[in-house]
Amino acid sequence: MEPSISTTVLNFHDIRDRLVDFFKNFKDIETGEYKYRDRIREMIIEGRKSLVIDFPDLMSYDDKIAEMVLEEPEELIPIFSEAIAEVVALENPRYLRKIKNFIPRFRALPTSTELRSLKSNHIGKLIMIEGIVIKATPPKQRILRAKFIHLDPECSQEFEVEVRGDVIEKPAYCPICGKGGQFRLVPDKSTYIDYQKIVVQERPEEVPSGQLPRSIEVVLEDELVDLARPGDRVTVIGIVKLTNTFRGRRSSKAIYDIYIEANNIEVSQRYLEEVEITPEDEEKIRQLASDPMIRRKIISSIAPSIYGYWDVKEAIA
């Protein structure tokens, strides 16, 4: 026997109440401080709308909710948002009127999934991958809520429609007057969100011998945009989804690609930023810069064990 709607709603209320208690009362083991109340205060002071949640904390507090997050992230994330908003209301009610939607961003999932092991059973699940960013598009703006105007002279009202994915579907009827007809998108009055796509590739040490590295497209939105650049080693936590399935009224394709809708992204290594130049290094660099043979020495240092190929080594240098 399937549970009734009221039972399901009650369960959601129970989850929200548990999460409110988690955000209000969870204490850091080392310091004894209220970890997430402090983070929520920092979020308010910095004017952000996302809260980083360490997954081990959630697992230690309620392992059932933690498991539900991994299995049904799209159903659970809105409940987390409501719980964060409830705690924000206690800390700063005015900030709650300013921010309409809070975003929980998870960190340090129990296991990391290898890119080449991603399969159909991961679709709709929250996973963590590690890799190198090899491509990033310029930031763009995606319509979050589209504003339409009903072109019927008897109505002529404007209303908003929530947009999911890359396609805007015109409404079949007006939610104000209830009639059908023609509708026109009003771009200037629509609500937008920052949007970017990156491509994450397997790390070199993870690629089996004789095989090409695999990669996956990752969608970044809002505060995650421009956090990572090509060349960065990143840890991405997100939901595995299928590429746009909209193809028409009578048919749709049967084979799809998968991508990851990022919930959180952390840059784990930036090689250039990690290099520390000591005064001794600086002096040596200046000496090399004054060497008239420095160009030839740099080219010679490329793959010195391989004989010849001077033009190739010069291009690499």
Side-chain angles (χ1 to χ4, degrees):
M1 181 178 179
E2 294 184 359
S4 64
I5 295 177
S6 60
T7 304
T8 305
V9 172
L10 181 62
N11 288 340
F12 282 168
H13 283 307
D14 291 342
I15 293 171
R16 186 187 64 185
D17 292 342
R18 287 285 290 162
L19 291 176
V20 169
D21 183 68
F22 170 69
F23 292 133
K24 288 170 59 179
N25 300 318
F26 186 87
K27 290 185 177 182
D28 187 281
I29 298 176
E30 296 180 357
T31 64
E33 298 178 351
Y34 291 100
K35 186 173 183 177
Y36 291 99
R37 290 203 76 154
D38 290 344
R39 286 189 181 181
I40 287 173
R41 293 188 186 107
E42 291 176 6
M43 177 185 72
I44 294 171
I45 293 171
E46 295 174 5
R48 295 183 287 106
K49 57 182 176 182
S50 60
L51 177 69
V52 175
I53 300 169
D54 295 321
F55 207 80
D57 294 342
L58 185 61
M59 290 184 66
S60 65
Y61 180 80
D62 194 317
D63 58 342
K64 292 182 179 179
I65 293 180
E67 184 179 352
M68 291 175 69
V69 171
L70 296 176
E71 294 295 320
E72 304 174 12
E74 291 193 276
E75 286 74 22
L76 269 292
I77 285 176
I79 306 176
F80 274 82
S81 299
E82 292 182 13
I84 295 170
E86 194 164 327
V87 180
V88 170
L90 299 175
E91 296 290 337
N92 191 330
R94 288 185 299 175
Y95 194 70
L96 185 61
R97 292 192 291 268
K98 179 181 176 183
I99 304 295
K100 296 182 180 179
N101 183 43
F102 294 94
I103 306 171
R105 300 206 184 277
F106 299 100
R107 182 168 63 187
L109 264 58
T111 57
S112 178
T113 304
E114 294 183 359
L115 278 179
R116 62 182 53 241
S117 68
L118 282 176
K119 299 291 186 294
S120 58
N121 61 311
H122 290 104
I123 296 172
K125 306 293 178 61
L126 187 73
I127 67 165
M128 180 172 70
I129 64 166
E130 296 174 316
I132 300 174
V133 179
I134 62 170
K135 182 181 179 182
T137 66
K140 300 179 181 178
Q141 284 67 48
R142 181 178 76 82
I143 291 183
L144 189 64
R145 288 185 293 275
K147 178 84 75 172
F148 284 96
I149 183 170
H150 192 187
L151 298 180
D152 188 333
E154 296 181 0
C155 178
S156 301
Q157 295 295 315
E158 295 181 351
F159 58 91
E160 284 188 340
V161 174
E162 187 173 354
V163 177
R164 296 184 179 275
D166 298 336
V167 177
I168 301 175
E169 296 187 43
K170 289 188 177 182
Y173 63 91
C174 175
I176 298 174
C177 68
K179 297 180 180 179
Q182 294 185 334
F183 303 92
R184 179 168 57 85
L185 177 67
V186 187
D188 294 344
K189 295 185 179 180
S190 298
T191 304
Y192 295 83
I193 190 172
D194 293 331
Y195 177 90
Q196 185 183 34
K197 287 183 179 181
I198 63 173
V199 177
V200 177
Q201 183 176 276
E202 286 179 302
R203 295 175 294 188
E205 60 269 23
E206 296 173 341
V207 181
S209 178
Q211 296 191 30
L212 293 173
R214 296 187 183 179
S215 59
I216 190 169
E217 193 172 71
V218 178
V219 172
L220 308 177
E221 291 186 343
D222 210 359
E223 297 172 342
L224 301 182
V225 170
D226 262 354
L227 283 184
R229 304 189 298 261
D232 290 343
R233 292 196 171 211
V234 296
T235 300
V236 177
I237 293 175
I239 304 172
V240 180
K241 292 191 172 185
L242 296 173
T243 51
N244 201 336
T245 57
F246 181 81
R247 281 296 178 275
R249 296 182 179 179
R250 298 183 62 87
S251 64
S252 61
K253 64 178 185 177
I255 300 175
Y256 300 94
D257 294 322
I258 60 173
Y259 71 97
I260 295 177
E261 184 179 273
N263 169 265
N264 197 9
I265 183 169
E266 293 183 308
V267 178
S268 55
Q269 187 173 4
R270 280 198 172 112
Y271 290 110
L272 294 179
E273 292 181 3
E274 290 189 347
V275 174
E276 294 185 4
I277 300 177
T278 63
E280 293 78 12
D281 293 333
E282 185 176 349
E283 179 62 28
K284 191 172 183 179
I285 291 170
R286 293 184 183 278
Q287 291 176 1
L288 290 170
S290 61
D291 187 345
M293 298 293 290
I294 185 61
R295 176 185 176 87
R296 191 173 185 86
K297 287 181 179 179
I298 291 175
I299 297 171
S300 300
S301 69
I302 303 294
S305 61
I306 299 176
Y307 179 77
Y309 298 101
W310 187 261
D311 292 340
V312 176
K313 293 180 179 182
E314 184 176 11
I316 293 173

